[in-house]
Amino acid sequence: MSDNSWADDRLNTPGDRTRFKRHLKNPFTGDSFGQFAEWVARFMGSPAFLLWMTIFVISWISLNVLGSWHHWDPYPFILLNLAFSTQASYSAPLILLAQNRQEARDKLSLEDDRRVAAQSRADMDFLAREIASLRASVGEMATRDFVRSELRDQIRELIAELEDSDDEADDAAPQESSHTDASPDGS
């Protein structure tokens, strides 16, 4: 039953009903043709292209001027000019297409760079606020040096109080002995 339902579903869906699908690749899709245009632009901008084109032109002119057989393109070299014109008429749009694709990539890259820069700026601002709040918190907390200085001051005050109380006790001790000597009991 599952096979029949699959067949029914397949027959009920629009599209190619043939069993064998054709896998023809369209060479003129935007991406593949754009890649071809970029390849042409890269090749035409290379020293190798200039070298091969120079060799071709020198050979063409040499064979038509110095060759001992039939000259297929005499002196004004109209056929050579026609070949150059044809090459230029095809290469210019291909180069422009490659430049447009590069411009689109650059635009996407620039937008991505701006997004990353904005995120980095937001992260830096957040971290700066966090560091400022930590500094404020640390500023309100007692530091180790502050606690030590306070403890030293307290110890100094306690020592001073103890010394004062010892001095008072020492001063009070002779007076007590004089009070005991002068007592009427005489003991």
Side-chain angles (χ1 to χ4, degrees):
M1 176 154 175
S2 64
D3 291 334
N4 284 340
S5 66
W6 176 79
D8 291 339
D9 288 341
R10 201 181 105 218
L11 292 175
N12 289 336
T13 56
D16 189 15
R17 294 186 183 176
T18 61
R19 188 165 215 173
F20 300 105
K21 298 199 180 219
R22 295 179 194 138
H23 294 289
L24 295 177
K25 217 175 174 186
N26 186 2
F28 298 110
T29 62
D31 195 44
S32 63
F33 192 72
Q35 289 173 354
F36 171 73
E38 288 174 348
W39 177 83
V40 168
R42 274 193 303 271
F43 178 68
M44 290 187 128
S46 69
F49 174 76
L50 292 175
L51 178 69
W52 286 111
M53 186 58 91
T54 303
I55 292 170
F56 175 76
V57 169
I58 290 172
S59 301
W60 184 283
I61 292 173
S62 299
L63 290 174
N64 278 298
V65 171
L66 303 174
S68 61
W69 54 88
H70 174 68
H71 301 285
W72 67 90
D73 192 16
Y75 168 65
F77 305 117
I78 294 173
L79 189 58
L80 182 63
N81 285 328
L82 180 63
F84 283 151
S85 297
T86 305
Q87 176 194 358
S89 68
Y90 279 102
S91 64
L94 291 174
I95 291 171
L96 288 174
L97 178 63
Q99 287 177 344
N100 288 341
R101 285 174 52 95
Q102 184 61 44
E103 181 182 336
R105 277 195 299 269
D106 291 345
K107 184 178 178 182
L108 289 174
S109 176
L110 181 64
E111 289 173 2
D112 189 45
D113 289 347
R114 284 183 180 161
R115 183 188 55 78
V116 168
Q119 182 64 40
S120 297
R121 179 67 182 171
D123 290 345
M124 285 188 287
D125 289 344
F126 171 75
L127 291 173
R129 286 191 301 272
E130 288 295 314
I131 289 171
S133 68
L134 287 173
R135 282 184 179 167
S137 298
V138 167
E140 294 171 1
M141 290 178 27
T143 62
R144 184 181 305 168
D145 293 336
F146 175 75
V147 171
R148 284 182 182 163
S149 67
E150 289 294 314
L151 287 174
R152 280 188 201 115
D153 291 343
Q154 291 293 324
I155 290 172
R156 286 183 188 136
E157 288 177 12
L158 286 172
I159 290 173
E161 286 178 16
L162 285 174
E163 288 176 355
D164 288 344
S165 66
D166 284 345
D167 289 344
E168 287 177 9
D170 289 342
D171 290 343
Q175 290 174 358
E176 285 180 17
S177 61
S178 63
H179 287 307
T180 54
D181 292 340
S183 66
D185 295 339
S187 38

